[in-house]
Amino acid sequence: NTADPRDRAAGLLLGAALGDALGSRFEGMSAVRADQLDEVETSEGELRYTDDTVLTLVLAEHFAERSPGSGIQQQDLALDFARAWRAEPGRGWGGGIGHVFRAVLSGSEWSSAARNSFGGQGSYGNGAAMRVSPVALAAPTPPEAATLGLRSGEVTHAHPDGAHAAAVQGCAVHLALSTPADTALDPDRFLDRVAGCCPDSRWISLLERTRAVPRSSSPAEAAERLGNDVTAPGSVPLALFSFLRHPDSPREAVRFAIAAGGDTDTIGSMAGALAGARCGATALPPEPLRRLEGAGRLRELGTLLAG
Ligand code: R7I
Ligand code: MG
Ligand code: MG
Ligand code: MG
């Protein structure tokens, strides 16, 4: 683990993209074997990322283009997300998100576009949480990262489960970024601090459920207890668990998340952001990192946002 804030900021963004790119080979599989993971880590050719990283980059650029502390301009952000979706339809987008983006592109306010999806209840997909990690670089404290996460999330995910997931993951990444490098991570204390920043009753109980999973669980056992699907409540807990299981090894945290199967790119990405934030870019596995699409820009943005 490193104490260098720039290396940690770069690790956060690169870890998120690496987990996405490695996991995308397996999205939707019920479980992934170690030899399949070895193969994707060591094969040749570019490791392409998916929608998770496309939108993470949009959010990071949103902060990079503005002076520090200026927060989020929600209509601008919604438009930039929607333009990125329109520009790259082949990146593996969620089933309902196109409706939101189409509405924003035809002039709707983000709030009504987001509210009108899924029969008026809004999305509880994990798309708000999967892209949220840059808020940890823009907010000075974990509670402010939660607030910024919520504001970034609600522009597309109006259902509270989907929007608050972004608060939880954003604040968790901030906490990971500021954990002392030379001290063992205490999972209970970590989850307490996340819960303290995110006073949403549904998420408090999901964090409790995460805490109750035995630390020695296999990926399959953890997925059985916490879920591994494209919904926010069914994926953010497993990403947190994967990180808490392997807090000092981004490679192992991401492998655990992907081995659990299901929404592997997204759960891998969220686990990678957490572990990359704690351990830094220098702790990421060099061989797959060398082949990661967009690695130069991700590193640059991390360094820039670290200040
Ligand atoms: O949340 P979102 O952007 O999806 C992200 C996922 C990640 O796995 C990406 O890697 C990509 O593959 O997609 O997109 P949404 O379409 O808003 O939500 C994802 C899915 O969650 C939807 O396609 C639905 O299956 C489910 N879902 C809902 N189902 C019923 N009712 C989300 N909200 C609802 C709902 O209100
Ligand atoms: Mg994806
Ligand atoms: Mg997909
Ligand atoms: Mg996914």
Side-chain angles (χ1 to χ4, degrees):
N1 306 336
T2 177
D4 174 7
R6 292 183 169 211
D7 190 46
R8 283 188 167 204
L12 179 168
L13 293 178
L14 288 166
L18 196 58
D20 175 16
L22 292 170
S24 70
R25 307 290 178 95
F26 310 106
E27 195 178 21
M29 287 175 54
S30 61
V32 179
R33 296 188 315 269
D35 64 290
Q36 294 175 296
L37 282 160
D38 295 342
E39 205 217 311
V40 69
E41 280 181 2
T42 57
S43 66
E44 277 309 310
E46 188 179 44
L47 284 169
R48 302 236 325 148
Y49 54 68
T50 77
D51 60 326
D52 307 52
T53 301
V54 170
L55 297 185
T56 298
L57 278 163
V58 170
L59 185 56
E61 298 282 3
H62 188 87
F63 295 128
E65 283 162 8
R66 290 165 176 79
S67 44
S70 44
I72 288 174
Q73 280 64 56
Q74 288 177 298
Q75 189 67 14
D76 291 350
L77 182 61
L79 265 169
D80 288 343
F81 284 154
R83 290 182 183 125
W85 166 79
R86 184 175 57 191
E88 301 195 90
R91 291 282 188 178
W93 301 88
I97 200 70
H99 293 276
V100 179
F101 291 147
R102 220 170 281 120
V104 169
L105 288 172
S106 37
S108 294
E109 285 291 318
W110 65 266
S111 51
S112 61
R115 210 181 325 108
N116 286 337
S117 77
F118 294 101
Q121 68 169 355
S123 173
Y124 51 72
N126 56 20
M130 75 184 182
R131 66 184 187 222
V132 77
S133 58
V135 305
L137 302 174
T141 65
E144 287 166 283
T147 303
L148 220 46
L150 185 62
R151 284 178 53 79
S152 74
E154 67 191 3
V155 308
T156 50
H157 289 64
H159 194 291
D161 288 355
H164 285 284
V168 167
Q169 172 70 6
C171 139
V173 175
H174 196 292
L175 288 164
L177 204 54
S178 47
T179 52
D182 52 1
T183 308
L185 191 97
D186 176 344
D188 286 319
R189 182 164 156 68
F190 188 86
L191 289 170
D192 281 342
R193 295 191 66 196
V194 176
C197 296
C198 305
D200 174 76
S201 58
R202 171 93 165 114
W203 277 98
I204 299 285
S205 77
L206 288 163
L207 292 168
E208 280 315 306
R209 190 189 294 180
T210 306
R211 185 201 304 277
V213 177
R215 211 68 65 196
S216 59
S217 300
S218 68
E221 288 163 348
E224 179 68 30
R225 299 275 295 250
L226 299 174
N228 62 358
D229 62 33
V230 296
T231 69
S235 56
V236 173
L238 181 57
L240 286 169
F241 185 84
S242 302
F243 165 59
L244 296 174
R245 183 75 207 276
H246 296 287
D248 299 313
S249 170
R251 177 169 181 258
E252 291 305 324
V254 166
R255 284 174 66 98
F256 187 95
I258 297 173
D263 192 2
T264 48
D265 63 331
T266 302
I267 301 168
S269 180
M270 294 189 292
L274 290 160
R278 171 162 163 82
C279 304
T282 46
L284 296 174
E287 198 42 36
L289 187 60
R290 187 180 59 76
R291 295 186 292 121
L292 177 66
E293 178 186 10
R297 184 59 184 153
L298 288 156
R299 186 184 293 275
E300 207 168 69
L301 277 166
T303 311
L304 182 77
L305 293 173

mmCIF file of all heavy atoms in Angstrom, residues 46-92:
data_model
loop_
_atom_site.group_PDB
_atom_site.id
_atom_site.type_symbol
_atom_site.label_atom_id
_atom_site.label_comp_id
_atom_site.label_asym_id
_atom_site.label_seq_id
_atom_site.Cartn_x
_atom_site.Cartn_y
_atom_site.Cartn_z
ATOM 1 N N GLU A 46 -5.677 -5.668 -26.510
ATOM 2 C CA GLU A 46 -6.186 -4.616 -25.643
ATOM 3 C C GLU A 46 -7.311 -5.136 -24.747
ATOM 4 O O GLU A 46 -8.152 -5.920 -25.182
ATOM 5 C CB GLU A 46 -6.715 -3.478 -26.521
ATOM 6 C CG GLU A 46 -7.100 -2.244 -25.736
ATOM 7 C CD GLU A 46 -7.604 -1.109 -26.632
ATOM 8 O OE1 GLU A 46 -8.410 -1.370 -27.554
ATOM 9 O OE2 GLU A 46 -7.193 0.032 -26.405
ATOM 10 N N LEU A 47 -7.335 -4.653 -23.506
ATOM 11 C CA LEU A 47 -8.444 -4.946 -22.596
ATOM 12 C C LEU A 47 -9.418 -3.779 -22.684
ATOM 13 O O LEU A 47 -9.150 -2.693 -22.160
ATOM 14 C CB LEU A 47 -7.935 -5.104 -21.163
ATOM 15 C CG LEU A 47 -7.232 -6.419 -20.832
ATOM 16 C CD1 LEU A 47 -6.564 -6.323 -19.469
ATOM 17 C CD2 LEU A 47 -8.235 -7.580 -20.853
ATOM 18 N N ARG A 48 -10.543 -3.996 -23.346
ATOM 19 C CA ARG A 48 -11.517 -2.926 -23.561
ATOM 20 C C ARG A 48 -12.447 -2.809 -22.373
ATOM 21 O O ARG A 48 -12.912 -3.803 -21.834
ATOM 22 C CB ARG A 48 -12.337 -3.202 -24.835
ATOM 23 C CG ARG A 48 -11.465 -3.342 -26.066
ATOM 24 C CD ARG A 48 -11.794 -2.418 -27.201
ATOM 25 N NE ARG A 48 -13.186 -2.086 -27.432
ATOM 26 C CZ ARG A 48 -13.570 -0.909 -27.918
ATOM 27 N NH1 ARG A 48 -12.670 0.041 -28.150
ATOM 28 N NH2 ARG A 48 -14.842 -0.671 -28.172
ATOM 29 N N TYR A 49 -12.733 -1.567 -22.015
ATOM 30 C CA TYR A 49 -13.674 -1.353 -20.928
ATOM 31 C C TYR A 49 -15.093 -1.207 -21.478
ATOM 32 O O TYR A 49 -15.295 -1.187 -22.697
ATOM 33 C CB TYR A 49 -13.260 -0.154 -20.073
ATOM 34 C CG TYR A 49 -13.044 1.154 -20.803
ATOM 35 C CD1 TYR A 49 -14.111 1.844 -21.384
ATOM 36 C CD2 TYR A 49 -11.767 1.728 -20.886
ATOM 37 C CE1 TYR A 49 -13.914 3.060 -22.023
ATOM 38 C CE2 TYR A 49 -11.566 2.950 -21.526
ATOM 39 C CZ TYR A 49 -12.648 3.606 -22.088
ATOM 40 O OH TYR A 49 -12.456 4.810 -22.716
ATOM 41 N N THR A 50 -16.071 -1.097 -20.585
ATOM 42 C CA THR A 50 -17.480 -1.014 -20.997
ATOM 43 C C THR A 50 -18.122 0.282 -20.481
ATOM 44 O O THR A 50 -17.425 1.208 -20.041
ATOM 45 C CB THR A 50 -18.283 -2.245 -20.518
ATOM 46 O OG1 THR A 50 -18.565 -2.107 -19.121
ATOM 47 C CG2 THR A 50 -17.520 -3.550 -20.758
ATOM 48 N N ASP A 51 -19.442 0.318 -20.524
ATOM 49 C CA ASP A 51 -20.208 1.498 -20.084
ATOM 50 C C ASP A 51 -19.808 2.001 -18.695
ATOM 51 O O ASP A 51 -19.808 3.210 -18.438
ATOM 52 C CB ASP A 51 -21.719 1.181 -20.114
ATOM 53 C CG ASP A 51 -22.118 0.032 -19.207
ATOM 54 O OD1 ASP A 51 -21.316 -0.911 -19.054
ATOM 55 O OD2 ASP A 51 -23.231 0.065 -18.650
ATOM 56 N N ASP A 52 -19.428 1.084 -17.813
ATOM 57 C CA ASP A 52 -19.043 1.482 -16.453
ATOM 58 C C ASP A 52 -17.933 2.540 -16.491
ATOM 59 O O ASP A 52 -18.002 3.568 -15.802
ATOM 60 C CB ASP A 52 -18.536 0.271 -15.649
ATOM 61 C CG ASP A 52 -19.506 -0.901 -15.640
ATOM 62 O OD1 ASP A 52 -19.945 -1.330 -16.725
ATOM 63 O OD2 ASP A 52 -19.821 -1.392 -14.542
ATOM 64 N N THR A 53 -16.919 2.259 -17.304
ATOM 65 C CA THR A 53 -15.760 3.159 -17.381
ATOM 66 C C THR A 53 -16.041 4.357 -18.283
ATOM 67 O O THR A 53 -15.538 5.456 -18.021
ATOM 68 C CB THR A 53 -14.520 2.380 -17.844
ATOM 69 O OG1 THR A 53 -14.290 1.315 -16.904
ATOM 70 C CG2 THR A 53 -13.282 3.262 -17.920
ATOM 71 N N VAL A 54 -16.844 4.160 -19.330
ATOM 72 C CA VAL A 54 -17.235 5.304 -20.168
ATOM 73 C C VAL A 54 -17.823 6.411 -19.276
ATOM 74 O O VAL A 54 -17.445 7.581 -19.365
ATOM 75 C CB VAL A 54 -18.262 4.884 -21.248
ATOM 76 C CG1 VAL A 54 -18.845 6.102 -21.955
ATOM 77 C CG2 VAL A 54 -17.639 3.925 -22.251
ATOM 78 N N LEU A 55 -18.731 6.012 -18.372
ATOM 79 C CA LEU A 55 -19.398 7.022 -17.536
ATOM 80 C C LEU A 55 -18.519 7.495 -16.378
ATOM 81 O O LEU A 55 -18.624 8.651 -15.941
ATOM 82 C CB LEU A 55 -20.747 6.489 -17.035
ATOM 83 C CG LEU A 55 -21.775 6.178 -18.126
ATOM 84 C CD1 LEU A 55 -23.113 5.778 -17.512
ATOM 85 C CD2 LEU A 55 -21.972 7.360 -19.084
ATOM 86 N N THR A 56 -17.649 6.619 -15.883
ATOM 87 C CA THR A 56 -16.677 7.039 -14.855
ATOM 88 C C THR A 56 -15.790 8.153 -15.419
ATOM 89 O O THR A 56 -15.506 9.154 -14.743
ATOM 90 C CB THR A 56 -15.816 5.838 -14.415
ATOM 91 O OG1 THR A 56 -16.672 4.854 -13.836
ATOM 92 C CG2 THR A 56 -14.764 6.250 -13.391
ATOM 93 N N LEU A 57 -15.370 7.978 -16.671
ATOM 94 C CA LEU A 57 -14.552 9.008 -17.327
ATOM 95 C C LEU A 57 -15.331 10.312 -17.485
ATOM 96 O O LEU A 57 -14.779 11.395 -17.268
ATOM 97 C CB LEU A 57 -14.076 8.503 -18.691
ATOM 98 C CG LEU A 57 -12.845 7.592 -18.658
ATOM 99 C CD1 LEU A 57 -12.705 6.820 -19.968
ATOM 100 C CD2 LEU A 57 -11.578 8.405 -18.371
ATOM 101 N N VAL A 58 -16.613 10.222 -17.850
ATOM 102 C CA VAL A 58 -17.423 11.441 -17.987
ATOM 103 C C VAL A 58 -17.486 12.181 -16.652
ATOM 104 O O VAL A 58 -17.313 13.406 -16.597
ATOM 105 C CB VAL A 58 -18.847 11.116 -18.494
ATOM 106 C CG1 VAL A 58 -19.757 12.341 -18.403
ATOM 107 C CG2 VAL A 58 -18.806 10.579 -19.922
ATOM 108 N N LEU A 59 -17.705 11.451 -15.570
ATOM 109 C CA LEU A 59 -17.795 12.101 -14.262
ATOM 110 C C LEU A 59 -16.440 12.697 -13.854
ATOM 111 O O LEU A 59 -16.375 13.827 -13.347
ATOM 112 C CB LEU A 59 -18.304 11.106 -13.211
ATOM 113 C CG LEU A 59 -18.558 11.666 -11.810
ATOM 114 C CD1 LEU A 59 -19.522 12.849 -11.826
ATOM 115 C CD2 LEU A 59 -19.102 10.558 -10.883
ATOM 116 N N ALA A 60 -15.370 11.970 -14.104
ATOM 117 C CA ALA A 60 -14.035 12.491 -13.777
ATOM 118 C C ALA A 60 -13.749 13.766 -14.576
ATOM 119 O O ALA A 60 -13.239 14.757 -14.039
ATOM 120 C CB ALA A 60 -12.970 11.428 -14.048
ATOM 121 N N GLU A 61 -14.118 13.765 -15.860
ATOM 122 C CA GLU A 61 -13.908 14.956 -16.696
ATOM 123 C C GLU A 61 -14.777 16.120 -16.207
ATOM 124 O O GLU A 61 -14.362 17.284 -16.275
ATOM 125 C CB GLU A 61 -14.231 14.669 -18.172
ATOM 126 C CG GLU A 61 -13.376 13.592 -18.839
ATOM 127 C CD GLU A 61 -11.980 14.059 -19.252
ATOM 128 O OE1 GLU A 61 -11.609 15.225 -18.983
ATOM 129 O OE2 GLU A 61 -11.242 13.227 -19.840
ATOM 130 N N HIS A 62 -15.965 15.814 -15.723
ATOM 131 C CA HIS A 62 -16.856 16.850 -15.183
ATOM 132 C C HIS A 62 -16.142 17.620 -14.067
ATOM 133 O O HIS A 62 -16.192 18.854 -14.022
ATOM 134 C CB HIS A 62 -18.141 16.199 -14.653
ATOM 135 C CG HIS A 62 -19.219 17.162 -14.235
ATOM 136 N ND1 HIS A 62 -20.151 17.659 -15.112
ATOM 137 C CD2 HIS A 62 -19.506 17.728 -13.035
ATOM 138 C CE1 HIS A 62 -20.972 18.489 -14.473
ATOM 139 N NE2 HIS A 62 -20.605 18.547 -13.204
ATOM 140 N N PHE A 63 -15.464 16.887 -13.196
ATOM 141 C CA PHE A 63 -14.729 17.549 -12.109
ATOM 142 C C PHE A 63 -13.460 18.232 -12.626
ATOM 143 O O PHE A 63 -13.114 19.325 -12.179
ATOM 144 C CB PHE A 63 -14.381 16.544 -11.013
ATOM 145 C CG PHE A 63 -15.580 15.979 -10.306
ATOM 146 C CD1 PHE A 63 -15.750 14.605 -10.169
ATOM 147 C CD2 PHE A 63 -16.558 16.823 -9.778
ATOM 148 C CE1 PHE A 63 -16.869 14.080 -9.514
ATOM 149 C CE2 PHE A 63 -17.678 16.308 -9.114
ATOM 150 C CZ PHE A 63 -17.820 14.932 -8.992
ATOM 151 N N ALA A 64 -12.790 17.571 -13.559
ATOM 152 C CA ALA A 64 -11.516 18.111 -14.059
ATOM 153 C C ALA A 64 -11.708 19.442 -14.781
ATOM 154 O O ALA A 64 -10.834 20.303 -14.755
ATOM 155 C CB ALA A 64 -10.836 17.094 -14.978
ATOM 156 N N GLU A 65 -12.884 19.608 -15.430
ATOM 157 C CA GLU A 65 -13.144 20.836 -16.203
ATOM 158 C C GLU A 65 -13.552 22.018 -15.329
ATOM 159 O O GLU A 65 -13.660 23.141 -15.825
ATOM 160 C CB GLU A 65 -14.304 20.587 -17.188
ATOM 161 C CG GLU A 65 -13.903 19.788 -18.410
ATOM 162 C CD GLU A 65 -15.125 19.189 -19.115
ATOM 163 O OE1 GLU A 65 -16.282 19.530 -18.744
ATOM 164 O OE2 GLU A 65 -14.900 18.373 -20.023
ATOM 165 N N ARG A 66 -13.856 21.730 -14.078
ATOM 166 C CA ARG A 66 -14.349 22.804 -13.199
ATOM 167 C C ARG A 66 -13.374 23.044 -12.071
ATOM 168 O O ARG A 66 -12.563 22.175 -11.740
ATOM 169 C CB ARG A 66 -15.731 22.410 -12.655
ATOM 170 C CG ARG A 66 -16.798 22.439 -13.746
ATOM 171 C CD ARG A 66 -18.071 21.722 -13.333
ATOM 172 N NE ARG A 66 -19.090 21.859 -14.370
ATOM 173 C CZ ARG A 66 -19.124 21.138 -15.484
ATOM 174 N NH1 ARG A 66 -18.215 20.212 -15.708
ATOM 175 N NH2 ARG A 66 -20.065 21.340 -16.380
ATOM 176 N N SER A 67 -13.486 24.225 -11.443
ATOM 177 C CA SER A 67 -12.567 24.479 -10.342
ATOM 178 C C SER A 67 -12.971 23.617 -9.141
ATOM 179 O O SER A 67 -14.149 23.301 -8.963
ATOM 180 C CB SER A 67 -12.558 25.961 -9.989
ATOM 181 O OG SER A 67 -13.874 26.457 -9.960
ATOM 182 N N PRO A 68 -11.976 23.246 -8.331
ATOM 183 C CA PRO A 68 -12.251 22.384 -7.179
ATOM 184 C C PRO A 68 -13.348 22.968 -6.290
ATOM 185 O O PRO A 68 -13.391 24.179 -6.070
ATOM 186 C CB PRO A 68 -10.914 22.346 -6.435
ATOM 187 C CG PRO A 68 -9.884 22.674 -7.458
ATOM 188 C CD PRO A 68 -10.555 23.597 -8.433
ATOM 189 N N GLY A 69 -14.238 22.136 -5.815
ATOM 190 C CA GLY A 69 -15.286 22.596 -4.915
ATOM 191 C C GLY A 69 -16.532 23.090 -5.617
ATOM 192 O O GLY A 69 -17.483 23.511 -4.971
ATOM 193 N N SER A 70 -16.559 23.054 -6.961
ATOM 194 C CA SER A 70 -17.760 23.574 -7.626
ATOM 195 C C SER A 70 -18.880 22.543 -7.719
ATOM 196 O O SER A 70 -19.957 22.839 -8.250
ATOM 197 C CB SER A 70 -17.432 24.194 -8.985
ATOM 198 O OG SER A 70 -16.556 23.411 -9.707
ATOM 199 N N GLY A 71 -18.662 21.347 -7.213
ATOM 200 C CA GLY A 71 -19.754 20.380 -7.118
ATOM 201 C C GLY A 71 -20.155 19.804 -8.462
ATOM 202 O O GLY A 71 -19.332 19.675 -9.370
ATOM 203 N N ILE A 72 -21.451 19.498 -8.602
ATOM 204 C CA ILE A 72 -21.953 18.861 -9.816
ATOM 205 C C ILE A 72 -23.052 19.724 -10.417
ATOM 206 O O ILE A 72 -23.964 20.159 -9.714
ATOM 207 C CB ILE A 72 -22.520 17.457 -9.483
ATOM 208 C CG1 ILE A 72 -21.368 16.493 -9.159
ATOM 209 C CG2 ILE A 72 -23.367 16.912 -10.625
ATOM 210 C CD1 ILE A 72 -21.806 15.139 -8.690
ATOM 211 N N GLN A 73 -22.938 19.986 -11.716
ATOM 212 C CA GLN A 73 -24.016 20.639 -12.447
ATOM 213 C C GLN A 73 -24.846 19.525 -13.067
ATOM 214 O O GLN A 73 -24.437 18.893 -14.052
ATOM 215 C CB GLN A 73 -23.441 21.573 -13.517
ATOM 216 C CG GLN A 73 -22.980 22.920 -12.971
ATOM 217 C CD GLN A 73 -21.817 22.802 -11.985
ATOM 218 O OE1 GLN A 73 -20.780 22.230 -12.319
ATOM 219 N NE2 GLN A 73 -21.976 23.318 -10.774
ATOM 220 N N GLN A 74 -25.998 19.257 -12.477
ATOM 221 C CA GLN A 74 -26.687 18.003 -12.791
ATOM 222 C C GLN A 74 -27.202 17.915 -14.226
ATOM 223 O O GLN A 74 -27.103 16.855 -14.845
ATOM 224 C CB GLN A 74 -27.807 17.757 -11.777
ATOM 225 C CG GLN A 74 -27.219 17.370 -10.418
ATOM 226 C CD GLN A 74 -28.271 17.181 -9.355
ATOM 227 O OE1 GLN A 74 -28.978 18.125 -9.030
ATOM 228 N NE2 GLN A 74 -28.394 15.993 -8.822
ATOM 229 N N GLN A 75 -27.718 19.001 -14.776
ATOM 230 C CA GLN A 75 -28.203 18.920 -16.159
ATOM 231 C C GLN A 75 -27.025 18.734 -17.132
ATOM 232 O O GLN A 75 -27.113 17.952 -18.072
ATOM 233 C CB GLN A 75 -29.032 20.159 -16.515
ATOM 234 C CG GLN A 75 -29.755 20.077 -17.854
ATOM 235 C CD GLN A 75 -30.868 19.016 -17.879
ATOM 236 O OE1 GLN A 75 -31.293 18.500 -16.845
ATOM 237 N NE2 GLN A 75 -31.312 18.658 -19.080
ATOM 238 N N ASP A 76 -25.933 19.433 -16.880
ATOM 239 C CA ASP A 76 -24.738 19.256 -17.724
ATOM 240 C C ASP A 76 -24.250 17.814 -17.659
ATOM 241 O O ASP A 76 -23.873 17.212 -18.673
ATOM 242 C CB ASP A 76 -23.583 20.156 -17.243
ATOM 243 C CG ASP A 76 -23.857 21.631 -17.475
ATOM 244 O OD1 ASP A 76 -24.841 21.961 -18.175
ATOM 245 O OD2 ASP A 76 -23.077 22.456 -16.954
ATOM 246 N N LEU A 77 -24.228 17.276 -16.437
ATOM 247 C CA LEU A 77 -23.735 15.906 -16.265
ATOM 248 C C LEU A 77 -24.645 14.912 -16.989
ATOM 249 O O LEU A 77 -24.160 14.012 -17.699
ATOM 250 C CB LEU A 77 -23.649 15.564 -14.771
ATOM 251 C CG LEU A 77 -23.095 14.177 -14.438
ATOM 252 C CD1 LEU A 77 -21.652 14.015 -14.948
ATOM 253 C CD2 LEU A 77 -23.158 13.914 -12.933
ATOM 254 N N ALA A 78 -25.954 15.091 -16.844
ATOM 255 C CA ALA A 78 -26.899 14.200 -17.523
ATOM 256 C C ALA A 78 -26.685 14.241 -19.035
ATOM 257 O O ALA A 78 -26.678 13.198 -19.710
ATOM 258 C CB ALA A 78 -28.334 14.592 -17.173
ATOM 259 N N LEU A 79 -26.477 15.438 -19.558
ATOM 260 C CA LEU A 79 -26.246 15.584 -21.006
ATOM 261 C C LEU A 79 -24.940 14.928 -21.432
ATOM 262 O O LEU A 79 -24.874 14.256 -22.469
ATOM 263 C CB LEU A 79 -26.221 17.064 -21.373
ATOM 264 C CG LEU A 79 -27.549 17.643 -21.859
ATOM 265 C CD1 LEU A 79 -27.472 19.163 -21.928
ATOM 266 C CD2 LEU A 79 -27.921 17.068 -23.244
ATOM 267 N N ASP A 80 -23.904 15.108 -20.631
ATOM 268 C CA ASP A 80 -22.614 14.492 -20.988
ATOM 269 C C ASP A 80 -22.686 12.963 -20.925
ATOM 270 O O ASP A 80 -22.122 12.270 -21.779
ATOM 271 C CB ASP A 80 -21.499 15.029 -20.088
ATOM 272 C CG ASP A 80 -21.129 16.469 -20.419
ATOM 273 O OD1 ASP A 80 -21.495 16.945 -21.525
ATOM 274 O OD2 ASP A 80 -20.472 17.127 -19.585
ATOM 275 N N PHE A 81 -23.387 12.433 -19.924
ATOM 276 C CA PHE A 81 -23.601 10.978 -19.889
ATOM 277 C C PHE A 81 -24.336 10.526 -21.155
ATOM 278 O O PHE A 81 -23.956 9.543 -21.798
ATOM 279 C CB PHE A 81 -24.464 10.585 -18.672
ATOM 280 C CG PHE A 81 -23.760 10.587 -17.333
ATOM 281 C CD1 PHE A 81 -24.494 10.782 -16.163
ATOM 282 C CD2 PHE A 81 -22.390 10.359 -17.221
ATOM 283 C CE1 PHE A 81 -23.878 10.754 -14.910
ATOM 284 C CE2 PHE A 81 -21.759 10.333 -15.964
ATOM 285 C CZ PHE A 81 -22.509 10.529 -14.815
ATOM 286 N N ALA A 82 -25.408 11.256 -21.483
ATOM 287 C CA ALA A 82 -26.246 10.856 -22.621
ATOM 288 C C ALA A 82 -25.474 10.925 -23.937
ATOM 289 O O ALA A 82 -25.627 10.059 -24.805
ATOM 290 C CB ALA A 82 -27.489 11.747 -22.673
ATOM 291 N N ARG A 83 -24.629 11.943 -24.068
ATOM 292 C CA ARG A 83 -23.821 12.053 -25.298
ATOM 293 C C ARG A 83 -22.816 10.902 -25.395
ATOM 294 O O ARG A 83 -22.551 10.394 -26.482
ATOM 295 C CB ARG A 83 -23.094 13.401 -25.331
ATOM 296 C CG ARG A 83 -24.047 14.569 -25.560
ATOM 297 C CD ARG A 83 -23.274 15.889 -25.640
ATOM 298 N NE ARG A 83 -24.220 16.997 -25.786
ATOM 299 C CZ ARG A 83 -24.272 18.057 -24.974
ATOM 300 N NH1 ARG A 83 -23.400 18.180 -23.970
ATOM 301 N NH2 ARG A 83 -25.159 19.006 -25.179
ATOM 302 N N ALA A 84 -22.274 10.501 -24.270
ATOM 303 C CA ALA A 84 -21.324 9.378 -24.275
ATOM 304 C C ALA A 84 -22.036 8.083 -24.672
ATOM 305 O O ALA A 84 -21.492 7.249 -25.399
ATOM 306 C CB ALA A 84 -20.675 9.235 -22.897
ATOM 307 N N TRP A 85 -23.260 7.933 -24.201
ATOM 308 C CA TRP A 85 -24.077 6.761 -24.581
ATOM 309 C C TRP A 85 -24.357 6.764 -26.090
ATOM 310 O O TRP A 85 -24.180 5.753 -26.772
ATOM 311 C CB TRP A 85 -25.385 6.793 -23.777
ATOM 312 C CG TRP A 85 -26.461 5.878 -24.277
ATOM 313 C CD1 TRP A 85 -26.556 4.531 -24.073
ATOM 314 C CD2 TRP A 85 -27.595 6.242 -25.077
ATOM 315 N NE1 TRP A 85 -27.678 4.037 -24.681
ATOM 316 C CE2 TRP A 85 -28.337 5.054 -25.302
ATOM 317 C CE3 TRP A 85 -28.062 7.459 -25.606
ATOM 318 C CZ2 TRP A 85 -29.527 5.056 -26.052
ATOM 319 C CZ3 TRP A 85 -29.236 7.456 -26.348
ATOM 320 C CH2 TRP A 85 -29.952 6.274 -26.563
ATOM 321 N N ARG A 86 -24.746 7.934 -26.603
ATOM 322 C CA ARG A 86 -25.058 8.043 -28.027
ATOM 323 C C ARG A 86 -23.821 7.783 -28.888
ATOM 324 O O ARG A 86 -23.892 7.161 -29.949
ATOM 325 C CB ARG A 86 -25.612 9.444 -28.321
ATOM 326 C CG ARG A 86 -26.071 9.641 -29.765
ATOM 327 C CD ARG A 86 -26.719 11.003 -29.946
ATOM 328 N NE ARG A 86 -25.832 12.098 -29.569
ATOM 329 C CZ ARG A 86 -26.214 13.373 -29.437
ATOM 330 N NH1 ARG A 86 -27.479 13.713 -29.646
ATOM 331 N NH2 ARG A 86 -25.342 14.298 -29.089
ATOM 332 N N ALA A 87 -22.657 8.233 -28.404
ATOM 333 C CA ALA A 87 -21.425 8.090 -29.184
ATOM 334 C C ALA A 87 -20.942 6.644 -29.255
ATOM 335 O O ALA A 87 -20.281 6.253 -30.217
ATOM 336 C CB ALA A 87 -20.329 8.974 -28.588
ATOM 337 N N GLU A 88 -21.241 5.851 -28.237
ATOM 338 C CA GLU A 88 -20.696 4.494 -28.182
ATOM 339 C C GLU A 88 -21.757 3.478 -27.779
ATOM 340 O O GLU A 88 -21.731 2.928 -26.680
ATOM 341 C CB GLU A 88 -19.524 4.441 -27.202
ATOM 342 C CG GLU A 88 -18.400 5.392 -27.597
ATOM 343 C CD GLU A 88 -17.138 5.068 -26.843
ATOM 344 O OE1 GLU A 88 -16.342 4.250 -27.352
ATOM 345 O OE2 GLU A 88 -16.972 5.605 -25.739
ATOM 346 N N PRO A 89 -22.669 3.191 -28.696
ATOM 347 C CA PRO A 89 -23.778 2.289 -28.360
ATOM 348 C C PRO A 89 -23.329 0.853 -28.064
ATOM 349 O O PRO A 89 -24.073 0.100 -27.443
ATOM 350 C CB PRO A 89 -24.675 2.344 -29.603
ATOM 351 C CG PRO A 89 -23.825 2.891 -30.699
ATOM 352 C CD PRO A 89 -22.774 3.734 -30.066
ATOM 353 N N GLY A 90 -22.130 0.488 -28.449
ATOM 354 C CA GLY A 90 -21.688 -0.900 -28.280
ATOM 355 C C GLY A 90 -20.977 -1.215 -26.968
ATOM 356 O O GLY A 90 -20.317 -2.248 -26.868
ATOM 357 N N ARG A 91 -21.095 -0.373 -25.985
ATOM 358 C CA ARG A 91 -20.323 -0.585 -24.750
ATOM 359 C C ARG A 91 -21.029 -1.424 -23.685
ATOM 360 O O ARG A 91 -20.571 -1.473 -22.547
ATOM 361 C CB ARG A 91 -19.940 0.764 -24.142
ATOM 362 C CG ARG A 91 -18.926 1.557 -24.959
ATOM 363 C CD ARG A 91 -17.504 1.043 -24.771
ATOM 364 N NE ARG A 91 -16.551 1.938 -25.407
ATOM 365 C CZ ARG A 91 -15.227 1.775 -25.379
ATOM 366 N NH1 ARG A 91 -14.693 0.744 -24.739
ATOM 367 N NH2 ARG A 91 -14.441 2.617 -25.992
ATOM 368 N N GLY A 92 -22.142 -2.061 -24.029
ATOM 369 C CA GLY A 92 -22.789 -2.956 -23.068
ATOM 370 C C GLY A 92 -23.672 -2.265 -22.039
ATOM 371 O O GLY A 92 -23.594 -2.562 -20.847
#
